[in-house]
Amino acid sequence: MESMADDQEVLARYSRRAGRFADVISAAPPGRWSAQSPCATWTAADVVQHAVDMHAAMFVPTDLARAPGPSVTEDPLGAFNSARADVERALGDPAVAGLAVQTPMGPSTFAAHVDGVASADLMIHSWDLARALGLDYSIDPDELDDQWQGAQQIPDIMRRPGAFGPGIVVFGPVVEVPDDAPVQDRILGLLGRDPHWT
């Protein structure tokens, strides 16, 4: 089980990543929500919907209630911020953060599950969303070392469509990237992205 200090680190890391994702949503140029994203079957709006769906998936192994929020179609930022508030409220409660849950990858705590799935997901989807919206985006340099280690150890189940719920795909097949490419590009390749996608 994680300690309370560990859970606070999970919350701080989640809030930082969620803040960057929300900043990208806020920077969306008018009329771009139907633009293609680096994820083959998703538009920019679909990337936000996926993030909201992944947040909801974190609550599936629990009996916790979630607050209603607007739809992504109506209000992309409002929809994400509603899902974000649910997760931050849950992570901020030690009893919930330490709750034992059964996940597609085995037993976990609620906080560890969020940290390894929904929170980590926001890092890459901030890049996906920015590219779909025609914005430049660099992964937080403080994240790169940790993400490089984690990207090399992605379990096969996280590349299996539907493992986390109907229609949910976490990571696609690896995209080959040169060994001497910048670390961000190599991470993107391991996470199923072409780093030069436009």
Side-chain angles (χ1 to χ4, degrees):
M1 292 296 200
E2 300 207 345
S3 70
M4 190 175 299
D6 290 336
D7 291 342
Q8 290 304 305
E9 290 175 11
V10 169
L11 174 56
R13 185 162 45 243
Y14 168 80
S15 294
R16 184 174 65 248
R17 291 168 174 170
R20 294 199 84 193
F21 190 77
D23 287 346
V24 176
I25 297 175
S26 297
R32 290 285 302 201
W33 289 110
S34 61
Q36 176 64 47
S37 82
C39 305
T41 61
W42 291 354
T43 63
D46 292 333
V47 175
V48 179
Q49 185 64 62
H50 170 77
V52 170
D53 290 345
M54 287 304 295
H55 281 55
M58 298 300 94
F59 291 88
V60 170
T62 78
D63 58 3
L64 300 171
R66 294 170 47 239
S71 71
V72 170
T73 302
E74 296 169 330
D75 180 1
L77 182 59
F80 175 71
N81 279 338
S82 178
R84 174 186 182 180
D86 286 336
V87 168
E88 288 181 325
R89 185 165 47 251
L91 290 175
D93 181 340
V96 176
L99 190 68
V101 294
Q102 186 64 39
T103 80
M105 294 180 293
S108 183
T109 64
F110 180 85
H113 190 37
V114 169
D115 197 37
V117 181
S119 179
D121 218 31
L122 289 175
M123 183 276 300
I124 186 61
H125 288 315
S126 294
W127 183 87
D128 291 331
L129 183 58
R131 301 310 301 137
L133 296 173
L135 306 172
D136 290 329
Y137 187 85
S138 295
I139 297 169
D140 184 341
D142 292 338
E143 296 263 23
L144 288 177
D145 285 345
D146 287 343
Q147 290 298 326
W148 173 238
Q149 297 303 317
Q152 296 177 83
Q153 300 168 21
I154 293 173
D156 289 342
I157 193 169
M158 294 186 79
R159 299 189 191 276
R160 191 179 308 155
F164 287 82
I168 293 178
V169 178
V170 182
F171 298 116
V174 172
V175 173
E176 295 298 329
V177 174
D179 291 342
D180 60 352
V183 66
Q184 175 169 305
D185 290 1
R186 285 180 281 157
I187 290 170
L188 290 168
L190 288 172
L191 300 183
R193 274 75 175 168
D194 175 357
H196 303 295
W197 186 93
T198 56

